[in-house]
Amino acid sequence: MSTSSTGLAGPGGPADVETVTRVAGRIRANIERVIEGKPDVVFSALVVLLAEGHLLIEDVPGVGKTQLSKALARSIDCSVRRIQFTPDLLPSDVTGVSVFNQNTREFEFRPGGIFANIVVGDEINRASPKTQSALLECMEEHQVTVDNATYQLETPFMVIATQNPIEMEGTYALPEAQRDRFMARVSVGYPPPAAEIAMLSSHTRANPLDDLEAVTDAAEIRKLIGIVGQVHVADAVQRYAVALTSATRTSPELVLGASPRATLHLVRAAKASAALHGRDYVLPDDVAALVTPVLAHRLLPTVEATMSGRTPASVLDSVLASVPVPAAG
């Protein structure tokens, strides 16, 4: 597949894609001042940002989940809010509440923590299911409805949520409907020894987040999102994405397969990945590389599969091996 096959002469062409790679490169370098030795995780975060998705960071304590989310937020000159999810957090703390003003004798809306371009939700699985579900409309429709009034959320809008999968006491597992709203799930993991040694030198003197300055702004991110939206996806690549998600729905090892929303997220993420690699068209490899981060957290394995040690990621490896890759052309 060549660039000439895209048919893009305007936005989304090679010149515009070069803007995406240049600006994203600045953001990436900025984040890597804080998160060392994890280029793949940083790349995934940028993919989700430019594809207008939401990111779930799931890992053990102390590996930099919150540091990653804060570094991304601070790299963009836009509104940022942090919500610490706790058992006593109320839905109105997230979405906002109408308060009666004694002076004007009218109700006034006071926005909650969700009203920002980048929302960092720390330990999302510590909040009650009722509070978790308050995010559903916000994440999917970029709007909030309170007392029959609807308020739009500004673009870009991205929720970066963290959770600890190890600790079970005092936590509430995210329901399937909530997990399906997250475009991708990533695990930071432990850093390589060299990166951890470098961290000891740089992080013990001062917190590198304190010196992190924005390298772009919300307006430029909106422009990049528009360019990513114009990236070309050939019919064969679309059919490949659908074949992959359809295979999860018929797999005997899964109780729940990927939803149509998951297919949409997979293609949108692939478009962002292609642009970050300097292309204005999507390759099957772009789709295949994102299958695990985009689909794994949405799948439910059967009891038999779990007992035999199969994970959603290993099931997806089998799916990738079984679905034919379309030929380039």
Side-chain angles (χ1 to χ4, degrees):
M1 193 183 297
S2 65
T3 53
S4 61
S5 66
T6 64
L8 292 175
D16 288 311
V17 169
E18 191 275 331
T19 304
V20 174
T21 56
R22 186 182 74 254
V23 176
R26 293 205 306 264
I27 301 173
R28 197 170 180 173
N30 213 40
I31 296 173
E32 287 177 352
R33 290 172 55 194
V34 178
I35 304 295
E36 299 173 18
K38 293 293 175 182
D40 293 344
V41 175
V42 176
F43 180 81
S44 296
L46 288 174
V47 164
V48 175
L49 172 67
L50 298 182
E52 291 191 282
H54 307 287
L55 183 66
L56 180 62
I57 308 174
E58 185 178 278
D59 216 325
V60 296
V63 294
K65 298 187 298 294
T66 305
Q67 291 280 87
L68 170 62
S69 54
K70 284 184 176 180
L72 175 59
R74 291 194 184 188
S75 296
I76 305 167
D77 185 15
C78 60
S79 58
V80 179
R81 299 284 285 274
R82 179 179 178 271
I83 305 174
Q84 180 65 54
F85 282 82
T86 56
D88 61 347
L89 189 75
L90 299 173
S92 58
D93 295 327
V94 176
T95 59
V97 64
S98 294
V99 178
F100 187 72
N101 188 318
Q102 294 283 2
N103 296 326
T104 62
R105 312 297 294 178
E106 293 179 348
F107 281 95
E108 294 180 352
F109 178 66
R110 293 186 180 175
I114 203 70
F115 282 84
N117 294 118
I118 306 289
V119 179
V120 179
D122 252 345
E123 297 187 283
I124 190 172
N125 55 333
R126 289 201 173 278
S128 68
K130 186 177 181 180
T131 302
Q132 291 174 0
S133 65
L135 289 169
L136 291 177
E137 179 191 15
C138 312
M139 292 171 68
E140 183 66 18
E141 302 178 41
H142 291 200
Q143 66 181 30
V144 176
T145 302
V146 177
D147 295 336
N148 296 323
T150 299
Y151 306 90
Q152 296 297 321
L153 298 169
E154 292 182 6
T155 302
F157 172 64
M158 180 181 182
V159 174
I160 308 172
T162 70
Q163 70 171 355
N164 171 12
I166 303 299
E167 198 172 351
M168 300 302 294
E169 189 174 346
T171 63
Y172 304 86
L174 287 178
E176 288 76 17
Q178 185 69 39
R179 290 204 305 269
D180 200 40
R181 257 63 173 193
F182 286 97
M183 176 172 283
R185 179 187 65 184
V186 298
S187 296
V188 179
Y190 295 112
E196 194 163 1
I197 291 169
M199 182 191 71
L200 293 177
S201 301
S202 60
H203 290 232
T204 51
R205 287 194 297 268
N207 188 344
L209 271 174
D210 295 339
D211 298 325
L212 211 61
E213 295 183 356
V215 293
T216 184
D217 56 23
E220 192 160 34
I221 294 298
R222 283 193 290 270
K223 178 184 175 184
L224 300 189
I225 289 171
I227 295 170
V228 166
Q230 296 296 318
V231 169
H232 179 70
V233 186
D235 291 344
V237 177
Q238 291 182 8
R239 288 194 294 270
Y240 179 54
V242 171
L244 289 169
T245 52
S246 296
T248 66
R249 299 166 197 162
T250 57
S251 171
E253 295 184 286
L254 297 173
V255 176
L256 180 68
S259 66
R261 181 190 287 120
T263 313
L264 179 62
H265 282 180
L266 182 60
V267 172
R268 277 170 41 190
K271 291 169 74 168
S273 177
L276 287 170
H277 282 114
R279 283 182 277 104
D280 60 350
Y281 57 92
V282 175
L283 293 174
D285 286 350
D286 295 317
V287 176
L290 289 162
V291 161
T292 298
V294 174
L295 301 186
H297 63 288
R298 309 168 195 261
L299 309 180
L300 282 181
T302 63
V303 174
E304 294 78 11
T306 303
M307 293 289 288
S308 60
R310 297 283 280 170
T311 64
S314 61
V315 173
L316 284 172
D317 288 340
S318 301
V319 167
L320 276 169
S322 66
V323 176
V325 179

